[in-house]
């Protein structure tokens, strides 16, 4: 796909009008039309703004990138194997992911369990590697909660779920680890946790 086709295709996929894209790129609407018919190409001073508006890297805009990365933006369910007072607890909570190229921001939208039982809101970031691995961090988003740590996930080949581990500092200062899973529904996320536990014999 050439740059003209790419700009038009991505603009329409993202629900932007030519005027919307022009406003985000800081150019006249007529200039966007000229890009889309292949009359001219964006200059180096305009290309980064167009790439940002279309959620593309500059390499992708220039047609030099590899295969398109998987889109993980949206609402998901995260499930975690953790413990409280020495007893295993499997939690599940809703998260929202926003993606910009290979960078994914994660924010909880529910706690999953009551505050009295250890539930808290958290946020984090993941980096997508080769459309198959995600590595990142999380930290409690509530002032009185100290929990923070790292996450490592392997993405399902069709992008329907992620499975992996977390390692982090618990509320009482101990370092803990457990299985982690992300799926499109609570049932999916919990099922992946059970599969991981079964495969590991735990």
């Amino acid at each position: 796909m050439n740059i003209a086709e790419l700009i038009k295709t991505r603009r329409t996929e993202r629900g932007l009008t030519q005027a919307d894209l022009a406003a985000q790129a800081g150019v006249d609407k007529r200039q966007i039309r000229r890009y889309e018919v292949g009359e001219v190409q964006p200059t180096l001073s305009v290309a980064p703004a167009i790439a940002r508006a279309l959620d593309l890297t500059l390499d992708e805009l220039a047609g030099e990138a590899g295969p398109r990365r998987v889109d993980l933006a949206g609402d998901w369910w995260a499930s975690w194997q953790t413990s409280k007072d020495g007893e295993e607890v499997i939690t599940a909570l809703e998260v929202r992911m926003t993606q910009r190229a290979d960078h994914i921001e994660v924010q909880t939208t529910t706690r999953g369990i009551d505050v009295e039982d250890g539930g808290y809101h958290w946020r984090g970031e993941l980096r997508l590697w080769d459309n198959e691995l995600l590595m990142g961090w999380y930290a409690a988003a509530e002032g009185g909660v100290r929990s923070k740590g790292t996450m490592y996930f392997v993405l399902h080949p069709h992008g329907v779920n992620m499975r992996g581990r977390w390692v982090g500092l618990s509320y009482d200062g101990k370092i803990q680890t457990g299985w982690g899973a992300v799926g499109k529904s609570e049932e999916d996320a919990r099922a992946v946790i059970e599969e991981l536990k079964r495969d590991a014999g735990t």
Side-chain angles (χ1 to χ4, degrees):
M1 181 179 305
N2 65 39
I3 193 168
E5 294 167 337
L6 179 61
I7 291 173
K8 184 173 184 176
T9 299
R10 287 293 289 171
R11 177 182 61 77
T12 55
E13 285 175 354
R14 296 186 56 80
L16 299 172
T17 65
Q18 287 182 340
D20 295 334
L21 181 55
Q24 290 183 37
V27 298
D28 189 271
K29 180 176 94 170
R30 293 175 299 214
Q31 195 65 19
I32 299 299
R33 184 199 60 76
R34 293 177 70 207
Y35 298 151
E36 290 185 355
V37 297
E39 193 175 307
V40 295
Q41 291 189 354
T43 62
L44 191 53
S45 62
V46 174
I50 290 176
R52 273 192 304 278
L54 299 177
D55 191 27
L56 297 169
T57 65
L58 281 174
D59 284 347
E60 289 170 331
L61 183 62
E64 296 181 7
R68 179 84 180 135
R69 80 186 60 78
V70 64
D71 183 5
L72 300 174
D75 294 329
W76 294 79
W77 279 84
S79 186
W80 309 102
Q81 177 194 39
T82 186
S83 64
K84 183 176 182 192
D85 302 324
E87 296 293 320
E88 179 186 73
V89 177
I90 305 296
T91 64
L93 48 94
E94 293 175 276
V95 297
R96 178 160 296 133
M97 295 190 187
T98 54
Q99 183 173 355
R100 177 133 185 81
D102 292 333
H103 179 83
I104 300 161
E105 293 182 7
V106 186
Q107 176 73 50
T108 59
T109 56
T110 63
R111 284 189 175 90
I113 58 175
D114 293 333
V115 173
E116 300 79 33
D117 294 325
Y120 61 92
H121 281 290
W122 57 268
R123 60 178 286 282
E125 295 179 2
L126 292 166
R127 170 83 189 269
L128 178 63
W129 296 89
D130 301 325
N131 272 346
E132 64 180 338
L133 297 176
L134 295 115
M135 293 183 277
W137 61 268
Y138 69 91
E142 299 179 24
V145 181
R146 297 178 52 210
S147 297
K148 56 188 69 68
T150 61
M151 301 178 284
Y152 181 91
F153 293 108
V154 176
L155 185 63
H156 183 278
H158 300 295
V160 296
N161 64 45
M162 303 165 224
R163 57 189 62 217
R165 284 195 81 80
W166 64 271
V167 176
L169 184 66
S170 69
Y171 69 95
D172 61 0
K174 295 179 183 173
I175 295 175
Q176 294 188 341
T177 186
W179 295 114
V182 179
K184 280 300 193 177
S185 70
E186 180 178 5
E187 296 76 25
D188 290 345
R190 286 184 181 272
V192 171
I193 290 285
E194 292 306 318
E195 183 181 325
L196 288 166
K197 287 173 51 182
R198 190 173 49 254
D199 290 349
T202 59

